[in-house]
Amino acid sequence: MVNFKEEISKLIAEQVPDLSPEEIQSMIEVPQDTRMGDYAFPCFRLAKTLRKAPPLIAKGIAEGIRENAMFEKVEQVNAYVNMFISREEFVGDVVSAVLKEGEDYGKTDVGEGKTVIVEFSSPNIAKPFHIGHIRSTVIGNSISKIYKALGYNVIRINHLGDYGTQFGKMICAYRHWGKKEDVVREPIKTLLSYYTKFHEEVETHPELDDEAREIFAKLEHGEPEEVELWQWFRDESLKEFNRVYKMLGIDFDSYNGESFYSDKMPRFVKELEEKGLLEESQGAHVVNLEKYGLGVALITKSDGSTLYITRDIAAAVYRKETYDFYKNIYVVASQQNLHFQQWIQILELMGYEWARDCVHVPFGLVSLEDGTMSTRHGRVVFLEDVLNRAVEKTREIIEEKGVATENIDETAKQVGIGAVIFNELSNNRIKDYVFSWDKVLDFNGETGPYVQYTYARCASVLRNAGEEAAAKAADPAALKPQYLTSESAFQLVRLLYKLPEVIREAGDRYEPSIVTRHIVDIAQSFNRFYHDEHILVEDEEEKTAKLALVLAAKTAIRNGLALLGMEAPERM
Ligand code: ARG
């Protein structure tokens, strides 16, 4: 595909030798109002060096580049050079590129040879996997797919919260009040109830705390009985988490969580000490970060046991040594901002230059509309229940609408789960948002179902055209772009053209919602084209061209949805 910005920059550079093509490229704008052209070049900055009024400079440049075949017209308006790309060339170039590249359309290779770690989801074992976890899970999955599309080698890590003093309490509670069958039947809910019970009982029986501490110490020293129980809790929890991951179509390369680093920490405590960073404070060890406005970080407790932050320091070094990452991305709630600032600062103080390649990608809170999501489990809203409910509700809606698919179960799953994912990725991640069923499942809003419905509409147009016509439309050599120069066709093509750039920007800003919004734009633009124009016309060449655009839109939507971790149903 022609990189128009680049080509234009070269052309303008011939007119303005003082500026390099790169500088010019950074100055080129894409006007909001398409009447101002597809690209515009402002000349204000040149006035000083050229000692001429900006409109005069713009006039000169416009005259100098006007004849190039790339343009339909070039205008000077005040200090701007407004450039209109030849529609026919543009459309032909973009649509054939999409057809040729297919599934790969939108991908680039900027990340070739570099490894990026995306750590996401990371729930705590023996604790509910609740609606709040949807955020890290879905945002992280999408970021990992975006980086993959940018050509990076991506490692997906689930840093399970599977270690810490709370497991002493959990094992203690299980020994006092637990039943094996209950844990097997409903692990997390049951383990949670033991944990709650522990906290109630400890009020009147403080000796339980000592018992729990002792148990944790045994766990840390690898006593078989304690390790076995802990391992069992972990396995049962993972089974439950994996059910949710399966529903969401998510997998990980590694589940190395906090426990994985439990035996790797002495090295770092020693290193901190040697580098003069550790201070003693009432038997505990801390790193004082007051100088940086980051308080004091507790590294080891007075009983010698290590903490969350110590494990994060160990994990980062381990990852650097194991994967030699270019970037190490953590998709974790903004409540943990301070924690991340602290340990990244500590790594810098330790002299690890790559500390700045560790990136915390925070996000806001999700809350629930009052009463709309009552759950069997009381106050905690389990993610699994939300997903199941989404599928059920979607099934009702599509049954009501009249179904165009033989496999309603499969479609309800694709659309229901997709709706939750899409909703999650619709807003800037940093914003808090309120989960609302009406919004999530609105087939006409800017939602997952709307986009998937548009996708199925593209598929249906191609089916109705017949196999032969669809096959011909898929052949770039058969494309006659002069039939795709109407306003609605052209606007759609402009959006398809922008997709690779949008993906790059989403990666740079760790912001999947940029992709989400762009797919909504493509879907809306396609629907405008679909309503404005008769697609299955008599004329063979015209029909082939229009079907090619339908196929290109379909491809772009599917590729975009895939980056969000969503499926695209052929019928709906
Ligand atoms: N398990 C933690 C929690 O649920 C999140 C872990 C985040 N990752 C990390 N490397 N600290 O709050």
Side-chain angles (χ1 to χ4, degrees):
M1 218 165 43
V2 177
N3 184 336
F4 287 97
K5 247 191 193 177
E6 203 174 298
E7 293 306 314
I8 291 172
S9 308
K10 284 189 213 150
L11 275 184
I12 296 181
E14 288 170 17
Q15 307 293 319
V16 198
D18 291 339
L19 292 181
S20 71
E22 290 72 30
E23 282 172 293
I24 292 172
Q25 195 168 334
S26 70
M27 289 164 70
I28 291 178
E29 298 172 3
V30 177
Q32 287 293 345
D33 182 349
T34 51
R35 283 172 307 184
M36 309 310 269
D38 301 306
Y39 295 97
F41 182 69
C43 296
F44 306 102
R45 260 178 55 191
L46 295 173
K48 219 171 170 185
T49 39
L50 296 185
R51 296 165 177 277
K52 259 208 266 185
L56 266 179
I57 302 171
K59 187 156 179 269
I61 295 176
E63 272 159 18
I65 65 174
R66 185 164 287 147
E67 294 312 316
N68 193 289
M70 177 164 57
F71 301 119
E72 197 150 286
K73 61 176 176 183
V74 177
E75 289 175 348
Q76 171 248 324
V77 177
N78 301 326
Y80 283 88
V81 184
N82 292 345
M83 294 158 275
F84 297 77
I85 301 291
S86 151
R87 285 196 178 184
E88 216 172 294
E89 264 202 39
F90 176 72
V91 166
D93 186 50
V94 175
V95 175
S96 3
V98 183
L99 297 181
K100 263 186 231 145
E101 292 174 36
E103 268 186 28
D104 290 334
Y105 181 68
K107 293 186 186 163
T108 42
D109 54 11
V110 287
E112 212 174 77
K114 296 184 186 129
T115 296
V116 165
I117 292 176
V118 184
E119 186 217 281
F120 65 105
S121 198
S122 312
N124 298 326
I125 68 161
K127 288 270 183 68
F129 198 35
H130 60 76
I131 176 80
H133 292 114
I134 181 115
R135 302 225 67 190
S136 172
T137 307
V138 168
I139 295 170
N141 185 46
S142 180
I143 290 177
S144 82
K145 286 180 189 289
I146 288 168
Y147 271 84
K148 186 115 206 167
L150 293 173
Y152 292 91
N153 172 36
V154 176
I155 312 281
R156 299 148 60 90
I157 298 183
N158 192 334
H159 186 77
L160 286 177
D162 57 1
Y163 206 70
T165 44
Q166 71 270 29
F167 292 100
K169 297 178 186 170
M170 195 81 72
I171 292 172
C172 172
Y174 175 75
R175 283 183 176 156
H176 283 281
W177 313 289
K179 267 216 208 88
K180 185 167 180 193
E181 314 84 79
D182 293 341
V183 177
V184 172
R185 200 179 23 144
E186 211 167 7
I188 292 181
K189 204 182 148 202
T190 308
L191 291 172
L192 183 68
S193 73
Y194 299 157
Y195 193 63
T196 314
K197 176 131 176 114
F198 179 92
H199 281 283
E200 282 162 19
E201 293 286 326
V202 84
E203 299 277 323
T204 43
H205 302 280
E207 68 278 7
L208 280 172
D209 249 342
D210 299 325
E211 196 182 325
R213 225 186 325 267
E214 231 164 79
I215 295 175
F216 182 64
K218 283 188 180 162
L219 183 61
E220 286 220 275
H221 294 122
E223 293 289 336
E225 261 181 55
E226 280 71 18
V227 170
E228 196 185 322
L229 273 175
W230 167 85
Q231 184 69 46
W232 178 48
F233 293 168
R234 188 181 192 273
D235 292 346
E236 291 300 324
S237 300
L238 256 184
K239 273 189 213 159
E240 206 163 308
F241 298 159
N242 277 325
R243 279 209 306 275
V244 175
Y245 293 139
K246 199 163 160 225
M247 274 197 252
L248 291 167
I250 290 178
D251 52 29
F252 295 91
D253 298 306
S254 159
Y255 288 88
N256 283 346
E258 294 185 46
S259 68
F260 181 77
Y261 302 100
S262 59
D263 61 354
K264 297 178 179 54
M265 270 162 325
R267 168 184 155 191
F268 298 103
V269 178
K270 203 168 138 225
E271 192 176 326
L272 282 167
E273 183 134 51
E274 282 167 3
K275 290 182 175 163
L277 295 166
L278 223 49
E279 287 174 17
E280 208 174 311
S281 163
Q282 297 160 356
H285 287 95
V286 302
V287 177
N288 190 332
L289 299 169
E290 305 273 19
K291 242 206 289 194
Y292 310 94
L294 297 174
V296 168
L298 188 55
I299 301 292
T300 61
K301 288 199 208 168
S302 52
D303 63 6
S305 59
T306 57
L307 288 116
Y308 183 51
I309 197 168
T310 327
R311 294 190 275 278
D312 259 325
I313 293 169
V317 178
Y318 175 85
R319 289 179 193 176
K320 185 65 193 175
E321 288 172 355
T322 309
Y323 302 108
D324 192 23
F325 56 72
Y326 164 75
K327 257 185 203 172
N328 179 20
I329 298 171
Y330 295 80
V331 185
V332 182
S334 56
Q335 285 116 304
Q336 296 195 26
N337 281 354
L338 177 63
H339 166 76
F340 279 91
Q341 286 165 352
Q342 283 184 332
W343 71 253
I344 292 175
Q345 182 66 54
I346 293 174
L347 284 176
E348 282 207 14
L349 292 174
M350 288 168 91
Y352 291 118
E353 256 175 46
W354 46 264
R356 63 181 78 101
D357 303 328
C358 296
V359 187
H360 175 210
V361 175
F363 51 82
L365 284 174
V366 51
S367 57
L368 304 166
E369 272 180 328
D370 269 359
T372 53
M373 227 183 325
S374 64
T375 145
R376 288 172 284 134
H377 301 290
R379 286 203 312 137
V380 184
V381 177
F382 282 69
L383 184 50
E384 191 173 7
D385 292 343
V386 174
L387 295 176
N388 282 327
R389 185 106 182 82
V391 176
E392 262 166 51
K393 276 178 172 272
T394 305
R395 203 193 153 92
E396 283 163 24
I397 295 173
I398 50 185
E399 267 172 353
E400 214 171 275
K401 278 182 176 287
V403 206
T405 161
E406 295 102 71
N407 196 344
I408 181 161
D409 285 333
E410 181 61 19
T411 308
K413 225 174 78 191
Q414 290 177 328
V415 178
I417 306 256
V420 175
I421 295 176
F422 198 90
N423 176 65
E424 175 56 45
L425 299 175
S426 288
N427 297 317
N428 278 359
R429 61 180 154 73
I430 205 67
K431 275 205 202 148
D432 295 347
Y433 81 95
V434 180
F435 188 96
S436 140
W437 281 115
D438 287 344
K439 238 177 160 178
V440 172
L441 295 177
D442 180 359
F443 276 50
N444 299 311
E446 297 182 354
T447 59
Y450 169 76
V451 171
Q452 285 173 322
Y453 190 75
T454 306
Y455 177 84
R457 171 176 275 169
C458 296
S460 142
V461 173
L462 290 161
R463 273 196 305 273
N464 292 339
E467 254 171 60
E468 203 183 318
K472 205 162 152 203
D475 174 13
L479 179 68
K480 296 276 188 294
Q482 65 265 36
Y483 297 105
L484 301 176
T485 54
S486 70
E487 193 56 25
S488 59
F490 180 59
Q491 292 310 334
L492 174 55
V493 174
R494 274 166 64 102
L495 292 171
L496 302 182
Y497 174 68
K498 256 186 89 177
L499 185 66
E501 191 184 316
V502 162
I503 297 171
R504 217 170 309 134
E505 193 189 335
D508 286 346
R509 290 168 49 188
Y510 313 103
E511 187 62 81
S513 67
I514 296 174
V515 175
T516 315
R517 282 199 292 269
H518 194 69
I519 322 177
V520 170
D521 288 345
I522 292 178
Q524 286 174 341
S525 181
F526 172 80
N527 285 321
R528 226 165 287 134
F529 168 70
Y530 177 82
H531 286 296
D532 285 0
E533 300 207 21
H534 192 39
I535 295 172
L536 301 178
V537 291
E538 283 295 318
D539 186 280
E540 277 295 316
E541 285 188 344
E542 184 179 344
K543 184 172 77 178
T544 303
K546 287 178 168 173
L547 286 172
L549 180 53
V550 175
L551 179 59
K554 178 176 185 263
T555 304
I557 293 176
R558 187 196 51 218
N559 294 358
L561 287 177
L563 293 178
L564 305 180
M566 282 171 66
E567 293 184 56
E570 296 292 319
R571 294 168 194 267
M572 203 171 137

